[in-house]
Amino acid sequence: MFSCSSVKDNPSEITYATFNIRLDHSGDSLNNWKYRKDTVASFIHAQDLDIIGMQEVLHNQLEDLKARLPEYAEVGVGREDGKTKGEYAPIFFKKDRFEILDNNTFWLSQYPDSVGFIGWDGACTRIATWAKIKDKKNGKIFMAVNTHFDHVGTEARRKGALLIIEKIKEIVGDKPAILTGDFNVNELSEAYKTLTTNSFVLKDTHKEAENTSGVNYTYHDFGRLNPDSRDKIDFIFITPQIKVKSSYIPKEGTKSDKHLSDHNPVIVELSF
């Protein structure tokens, strides 16, 4: 039967994740990346993730993931030189489904285009990588932003949050946007409140979800943290026109050979 509805009327249904994979660190012993890289790739395949914002990805880890995830493409650069040096905050996406219309990285600082610049009271160079994406299924355009906030600077986190909001407004205006990241603070922090109470409001997917499952924390230090000390510091934020069907935080493994990372990922089902 003929229908007047267009392809654009079909909503985009996306399985979206944020995941701090823990950098390749020699001091991690049996939790070192060389023992985890196949597990991480297998997990991404098993969850059938459409888009993933990752944090703490060094260049060799990026290459390992690209080799193991051939159906994905990625955008992002190393934070120290804007090329391959230092941690990336890459966005991986299924290349058969999504088309990147534009992408770039900016530095969370007073000078967003200054490569390697440390902003405000931050202890480290911090970045946000973004992509303007088209869903090939229906032509819908949205923005993905992925970041890793400073672990020391309160002002750096707050000002970084404001900078990201301004960039979303500048790049996609009122189109849907998704922000993933390790924010290094929980929902009681000034940075979280800046993101969720700004006039350009971003909503916490875990709170907006129709259904939640799994654990209620993300950072566990490879299972070493006392359960009472574990906190949710990884978030996925969305603009209000996006609906959240579910949010899932998988529980970490109980043995070193079962750990994906020192963080649990957050996985959400989005619709817009």
Side-chain angles (χ1 to χ4, degrees):
M1 183 182 289
F2 178 77
S3 171
C4 293
S5 63
S6 68
V7 173
K8 279 200 171 184
D9 292 333
N10 298 327
S12 289
E13 311 271 359
I14 302 176
T15 305
Y16 213 110
T18 188
F19 192 8
N20 181 327
I21 67 166
R22 172 64 177 172
L23 79 166
D24 186 357
H25 193 287
S26 59
D28 283 344
S29 184
L30 291 176
N31 290 312
N32 182 266
W33 173 248
K34 66 185 175 184
Y35 302 116
R36 297 186 290 111
K37 55 189 177 183
D38 291 326
T39 312
V40 168
S42 296
F43 175 83
I44 290 168
H45 282 134
Q47 295 292 325
D48 196 23
L49 302 177
D50 294 311
I51 301 177
I52 315 117
M54 297 187 197
Q55 301 85 36
E56 290 198 24
V57 183
L58 297 178
H59 186 70
N60 68 298
Q61 293 175 289
L62 188 82
E63 293 301 316
D64 286 340
L65 289 166
K66 286 164 65 175
R68 288 161 176 78
L69 302 169
E71 69 273 43
Y72 292 83
E74 90 295 329
V75 296
V77 296
R79 69 188 187 186
E80 302 303 333
D81 66 352
K83 297 174 183 174
T84 61
K85 187 179 176 185
E87 294 176 16
Y88 291 63
I91 300 167
F92 276 72
F93 60 94
K94 285 185 178 174
K95 56 190 178 185
D96 287 348
R97 171 157 180 200
F98 301 104
E99 177 186 349
I100 301 295
L101 303 177
D102 196 7
N103 77 94
N104 211 332
T105 293
F106 57 91
W107 276 256
L108 300 184
S109 77
Q110 301 91 319
Y111 310 102
D113 297 325
S114 293
V115 174
F117 194 87
I118 297 176
W120 304 290
D121 58 349
C124 301
T125 308
R126 299 292 182 177
I127 56 173
T129 291
W130 62 268
K132 190 176 180 181
I133 303 174
K134 182 169 82 172
D135 188 341
K136 295 179 184 179
K137 285 186 175 181
N138 53 24
K140 290 190 176 181
I141 293 169
F142 62 99
M143 184 179 182
V145 190
N146 183 45
T147 192
H148 188 179
F149 276 11
D150 201 70
H151 63 298
V152 173
T154 303
E155 186 74 351
R157 289 191 292 263
R158 188 180 71 83
K159 290 283 184 67
L162 290 170
L163 178 60
I164 286 170
I165 287 169
E166 288 308 309
K167 289 288 186 180
I168 292 172
K169 288 160 66 175
E170 173 191 321
I171 293 163
V172 290
D174 60 358
K175 287 186 169 61
I178 301 104
L179 168 62
T180 51
D182 171 358
F183 293 86
N184 265 314
V185 284
N186 64 24
E187 64 183 61
L188 300 177
S189 69
E190 193 175 354
Y192 180 97
K193 291 172 182 174
T194 299
L195 288 167
T196 55
T197 62
N198 190 279
S199 57
F200 184 86
V201 69
L202 291 167
K203 294 178 177 289
D204 180 346
T205 53
H206 200 65
K207 291 187 174 181
E208 295 294 311
E210 295 172 14
N211 296 291
T212 59
S213 58
V215 296
N216 61 359
Y217 57 86
T218 55
Y219 183 63
H220 54 79
D221 191 22
F222 292 115
R224 289 188 287 253
L225 272 187
N226 185 297
D228 294 338
S229 303
R230 298 177 186 185
D231 220 343
K232 187 176 189 298
I233 61 173
D234 302 81
F235 297 92
I236 302 176
F237 296 104
I238 50 165
T239 49
Q241 66 270 61
I242 302 174
K243 292 180 180 176
V244 190
K245 292 185 168 182
S246 66
S247 180
Y248 169 48
I249 305 175
K251 183 177 171 59
E252 70 283 356
T254 53
K255 299 178 182 177
S256 60
D257 63 349
K258 300 293 184 184
H259 288 307
L260 293 169
S261 173
D262 58 345
H263 288 240
N264 293 322
V266 181
I267 302 168
V268 296
E269 297 283 348
L270 304 179
S271 178
F272 56 89

